[in-house]
Every structure is written in C-alpha cells, then in structure tokens.
C-alpha cells in the first residue's frame, strides 16, 4: 500500500497547524523563528515526481503565507527548497540506493541527514529572509535571522526525525 497517500496530507496538516497556532508566536532571542515545516520537503521521497513536490511545497507555502501575513515569502521559499531537494539529496546518498527512499537519519545515516537538513534549511532561510526583509541595509540583522532560524529549525527537524524513528 502506498503510505504517501496518508503520510503527506497528515504531515502537511500537522506541520501547518503547529506553525500557524504555536510557532508563529515564538521568536527566540528576537531573531530565531522556528520553521519546522521544512521537514515536509526534507522527507519527500527520492523518486517523487518533481511536479508533485513543487505543488505540495507551493500549496503549503501559500497556506502558511495566508495565516502568517507574509505574502508569497513562504510559498517562494518552500518552492525553491522543493526544487533543490532532489539534487541535495543525491549528494548524500549512493546512486544505487532505493528509488523510493524517504530521507531520514535511519535511512541515510545521522551525519549525512544532518548535513542534508542543514544545507536545505539554510538555503530555505536565506531565501525566506531575503524576500521578507527585501533589503540588505541591515545585513547584520539578516545574518542573525538566517543563522538563528537555521539552527533552531535544524534542531526541531532532528527532534522530529528522532521521534519518527522511534515510532517505526
């Protein structure tokens, strides 16, 4: 049975609700915003159709933009992350790996998953805060937001992946 039929919509709903009702109101040290919804893009199957990845990512982004008052920022950033995901994932797995691989620390290893998650999340945060601030006049604030949000989000992503592994 294809579990993506249930996994993707359920993950979409849970991550969106968590972000909208809880995490949008959290700002650590005045700069770090937890954005664990990137986990949705991080864990998309290796062999998933690109059009489906982009559609899911854009839809999640536009829903988050609607409730977060960030017009188009999350949609553009998540769509960029979904475009980069297959190429970044290929850097950390072997070519002869399973075509239906769902990336996690248990399937590709802890260090490769950490590096993969950090690179994709960092790229996402760079695009997100570049579009949100739309100015580099206060570049120090931009760097603080990108680095802080990347660190907090990667920590949350690793925690969610760890919970997922214990369940399996």
């Amino acid at each position: 049975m294809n579990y993506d039929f249930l996994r993707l919509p359920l993950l979409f709903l849970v991550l969106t609700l968590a972000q909208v009702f809880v995490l949008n109101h959290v700002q650590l040290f005045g700069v770090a915003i937890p954005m664990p919804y990137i986990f949705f893009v991080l864990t998309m199957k290796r062999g998933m159709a690109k059009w489906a990845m982009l559609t899911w990512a854009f839809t999640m982004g536009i829903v988050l933009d609607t409730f977060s008052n960030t017009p188009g920022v999350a949609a553009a950033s998540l769509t960029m992350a979904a475009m980069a995901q297959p190429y970044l994932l290929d850097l950390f797995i072997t070519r002869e790996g399973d075509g239906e691989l769902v990336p996690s620390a248990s399937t590709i290893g802890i260090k490769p998953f950490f590096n993969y998650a950090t690179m994709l999340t960092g790229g996402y945060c760079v695009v997100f805060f570049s579009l949100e601030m739309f100015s580099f006049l206060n570049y120090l604030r931009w760097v603080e937001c990108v680095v802080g949000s990347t660190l907090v989000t990667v920590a949350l992503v690793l925690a969610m992946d760890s919970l997922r592994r214990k369940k399996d």
Side-chain angles (χ1 to χ4, degrees), residues 107-157:
T107 58
I108 66 174
I110 293 172
K111 186 176 178 188
F113 183 73
F114 173 78
N115 292 335
Y116 160 67
T118 303
M119 286 180 69
L120 193 62
T121 304
Y124 172 80
C125 288
V126 164
V127 172
F128 184 88
F129 288 107
S130 295
L131 291 174
E132 185 183 50
M133 292 181 181
F134 210 67
S135 169
F136 289 107
L137 293 177
N138 194 356
Y139 67 90
L140 193 55
R141 172 94 170 147
W142 177 82
V143 169
E144 289 173 341
C145 289
V146 168
V147 172
S149 295
T150 299
L151 292 174
V152 169
T153 302
V154 168
L156 282 172
V157 163

Side-chain angles (χ1 to χ4, degrees), residues 46-147:
R46 179 180 186 194
M48 188 174 194
K50 287 184 178 34
W51 67 267
M53 291 176 69
L54 294 173
T55 302
W56 275 108
F58 179 78
T59 303
M60 178 177 251
I62 207 73
V63 168
L64 289 169
D65 283 334
T66 301
F67 291 107
S68 302
N69 197 23
T70 54
V73 175
S77 303
L78 271 177
T79 304
M80 180 282 312
M83 286 174 36
Q85 190 260 9
Y87 303 108
L88 280 176
L89 185 58
D90 283 344
L91 294 175
F92 298 103
I93 58 175
T94 60
R95 292 280 178 208
E96 64 273 355
D98 182 19
E100 296 293 314
L101 175 84
V102 175
S104 71
S106 61
T107 58
I108 66 174
I110 293 172
K111 186 176 178 188
F113 183 73
F114 173 78
N115 292 335
Y116 160 67
T118 303
M119 286 180 69
L120 193 62
T121 304
Y124 172 80
C125 288
V126 164
V127 172
F128 184 88
F129 288 107
S130 295
L131 291 174
E132 185 183 50
M133 292 181 181
F134 210 67
S135 169
F136 289 107
L137 293 177
N138 194 356
Y139 67 90
L140 193 55
R141 172 94 170 147
W142 177 82
V143 169
E144 289 173 341
C145 289
V146 168
V147 172

